[in-house]
Amino acid sequence: MPGTLGGTGRIRRSFRCALLVLLFLGLIPCSVRSLARAQSQGPSRTDQEAADELNRDGINLAQKADYASAIEKFRRASELWPQFPDAQYNLATTLEKIGQLDQAISAYQAAVRLRPDSEPMHLALGLALAKDQNLADAAIELQRAVALAPQDHLAHYNLGLTYEQQGKRQDALAEYRKAIQVSPEFGPAHERLGIVLRRQGKQAEAIEEFQSAVRISPNDADAHYNLGIVLKSEGKVDAALKELDEALRLKPDFEQARYN
């Protein structure tokens, strides 16, 4: 999470990649909803079935890491059946996987236009926009994702990250707390909440959140580092050194921990 922790030591995470990986692995076959909508709009049933087959072929190819061939299949599916949101979404995730972010964003936007009530599609678009540093539009998409799926802790967490990047700390705090309310054992939200609280001068609350992060993820060097930094600022030198030493043990090349 880039940035500084109260001017004392740097924070090391940005938008977490785990969610993006999960979304990519969740490529969508032709859904029942897409088939139902197709009865009254779009191309012939023959073309729809061909597009569905191309979409499935694309999924198989993407799972084998043959991304170029997968992209070709998803594009052909979208050409045959322009109202097919699943093919657009799968095209977007595959383009993002190979680093074609601008094209991926365009395909995500096409997918959400076709299926505006899909939380995963809004979430994926929001994360892609955040990766592109378009934070204002990212926040809008993530707000839509949260509204559609208020029990999705990852949507709240990523909206919190976006708010924090925008300097909206109070809004970020609210989203991190919602993420924790939904999923109390989600360590990254505790850690990120601790960072914001630390920046607001709420040291005791920050320590509690970092301690939760360390308890949940004892092998997370960053969590130990952040806890150590706050403890050090509070004059708890022995406890701080213990955490910084653990961060170094877990990540021997962690230079910031070494020199704090």
Side-chain angles (χ1 to χ4, degrees), residues 27-38:
L27 294 169
I28 303 175
C30 183
S31 66
V32 173
R33 184 180 303 177
S34 295
L35 290 171
R37 286 179 176 174

Side-chain angles (χ1 to χ4, degrees), residues 24 27 50-63 65-81 84 86-88 90-96 98 100 103 107:
F24 177 73
L27 294 169
D52 180 24
E53 187 64 28
L54 287 165
N55 184 56
R56 292 179 184 277
D57 289 345
I59 291 171
N60 290 332
L61 289 164
Q63 290 172 340
D66 186 353
Y67 301 125
S69 298
I71 286 168
E72 181 182 354
K73 297 287 186 181
F74 295 138
R75 288 195 192 281
R76 288 173 57 195
S78 298
E79 290 167 0
L80 274 177
W81 186 0
F84 190 6
D86 305 347
Q88 289 286 355
N90 293 337
L91 173 61
T93 60
T94 311
L95 287 166
E96 186 175 1
I98 65 170
Q100 299 295 322
Q103 293 183 50

Side-chain angles (χ1 to χ4, degrees), residues 239-259:
L241 289 175
K242 178 181 177 182
E243 296 301 329
L244 294 171
D245 286 345
E246 182 63 10
L248 276 171
R249 186 188 70 80
L250 291 166
K251 189 185 293 186
D253 62 347
F254 199 161
E255 292 299 318
Q256 291 160 326
R258 188 181 307 281
Y259 294 110

Side-chain angles (χ1 to χ4, degrees), residues 4 10 29 46 50 62 64-65 72 78 95 101 139 142 148 160 163 172 177 195-196 206 215 252:
T4 61
R10 301 179 66 79
T46 299
K64 296 173 183 176
E72 181 182 354
S78 298
L95 287 166
L101 190 57
L142 293 169
L148 288 165
Y163 283 146
R177 286 183 168 129
I195 289 166
V196 179
R215 174 184 59 79

